[in-house]
Every structure is written in C-alpha cells, then in structure tokens.
C-alpha cells in the first residue's frame, strides 16, 4: 500500500512541479491561457486518479498506523502528521473546487494571475504533503514534534 501511495505522490507532486516551474512561466510570459489549459486537460487524466489513489491509500495508511479515526486526532507526533496531511487535503480540495467553479470558467489571458496563485498554493501543499509523509519514517519527529 505504501508503494501505491508513493507512486501516487510522485505523479501528483511531479505534475504540479512541472506546471509551476515549466508550464506556468511560459503561460504567463506569453499571456496565453490555452497553454495552461491544454496541459491541465491532459494532466487531469493522470493527476486526478493519482490524487484519488493518494486519498484512499493515505486513509488506509493512517488506519494502519493509528487505528480508528478518533486516534488520528490525538497528541502523538504521528497523529500530528496525519492532522497536517488532512488539513493539507482540505486546503487542496478547497483550492481545486474554487479553481474549477470560479477561476477556470472565467479564465482569460488577463486573469491568469489568479489561477497562477492557485497553482502555486496547490504545489506548495503537494510539497508539504511529501515532507509530512517523509517525517513519518522518523516517527513524526523532529519536523512535527508533538
């Protein structure tokens, strides 16, 4: 299960880093929303299933580590990591919903900066997901000490 979780993270985080450091600068430089939308349309076919895989395997791993969900909100370092990852998941979902319902439908070449901030925020959340997950290897300590 951990291998599937890592594979999903690789796809999710890697895709967002490609967008943030390659596609987004080109899009902003050329003021051409179609560059970003074209990549998003292609990446979504792989990115969304990988996010879904992350959620399923992440919940399974949290259950494997701490048992019932009530334990996920305890005061142990591992529980703190799970809380951080759940918070990051909530933020990612909020950003995605806002982008899909408010930003992308109204996207023009002049409003690209609003979507750029969403992309940067989701990418930062993705990186923090990886750091939080890696800290579990060390018992949640010292990065997220309780």
């Amino acid at each position: 299960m951990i291998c599937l979780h890592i594979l999903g993270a690789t796809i999710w985080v890697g895709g967002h880093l490609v967008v943030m450091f390659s596609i987004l600068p080109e899009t902003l430089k050329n003021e051409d929303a179609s560059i970003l939308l074209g990549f998003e349309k292609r990446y979504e076919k792989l990115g969304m299933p990988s996010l879904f895989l992350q959620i399923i395997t992440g919940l399974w791993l949290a259950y494997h580590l701490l048992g019932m969900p009530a334990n996920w909100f305890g005061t142990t370092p591992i529980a703190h990591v799970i809380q951080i990852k759940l918070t990051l998941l909530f933020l990612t979902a909020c950003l995605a919903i806002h982008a899909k319902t408010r930003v992308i439908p109204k996207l023009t070449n002049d409003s690209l900066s609003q979507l750029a901030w969403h992309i940067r925020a989701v990418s930062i959340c993705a990186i923090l997901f990886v750091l939080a997950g890696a800290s579990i290897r060390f018992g949640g300590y010292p990065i997220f000490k309780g």
Side-chain angles (χ1 to χ4, degrees):
M1 198 61 72
I2 188 89
C3 291
L4 290 175
H5 195 69
I6 291 170
L7 180 60
T10 302
I11 294 166
W12 180 254
V13 177
H16 281 85
L17 292 175
V18 167
V19 168
M20 189 166 75
F21 291 114
S22 180
I23 307 298
L24 183 59
E26 179 184 354
T27 300
L28 294 173
K29 179 182 174 186
N30 295 323
E31 296 180 354
D32 184 0
S34 69
I35 297 169
L36 186 59
L37 293 174
F39 178 84
E40 188 265 341
K41 184 178 178 180
R42 291 186 308 271
Y43 175 71
E44 193 171 79
K45 294 174 186 174
L46 185 60
M48 293 313 290
S50 73
L51 178 60
F52 182 69
L53 180 65
Q54 289 296 102
I55 293 168
I56 298 302
T57 58
L59 294 173
W60 185 90
L61 289 166
Y63 182 80
H64 178 73
L65 287 170
L66 292 179
M68 298 303 293
N71 298 334
W72 303 355
F73 300 96
T75 59
T76 66
I78 298 292
H80 286 164
V81 172
I82 291 170
Q83 293 161 28
I84 289 166
K85 290 189 90 165
L86 289 171
T87 301
L88 290 168
L89 178 61
F90 177 75
L91 289 172
T92 300
C94 288
L95 286 164
I97 290 167
H98 185 260
K100 284 284 189 190
T101 61
R102 304 276 180 152
V103 179
I104 293 174
K106 299 176 186 175
L107 187 64
T108 66
N109 293 337
D110 295 328
S111 65
L112 279 170
S113 63
Q114 188 177 15
L115 185 58
W117 284 108
H118 278 77
I119 290 168
R120 291 179 187 121
V122 170
S123 298
I124 290 168
C125 285
I127 293 166
L128 292 174
F129 266 123
V130 170
L131 294 175
S135 78
I136 290 175
R137 169 68 174 92
F138 303 103
Y141 179 85
I143 299 171
F144 301 108
K145 184 178 179 185

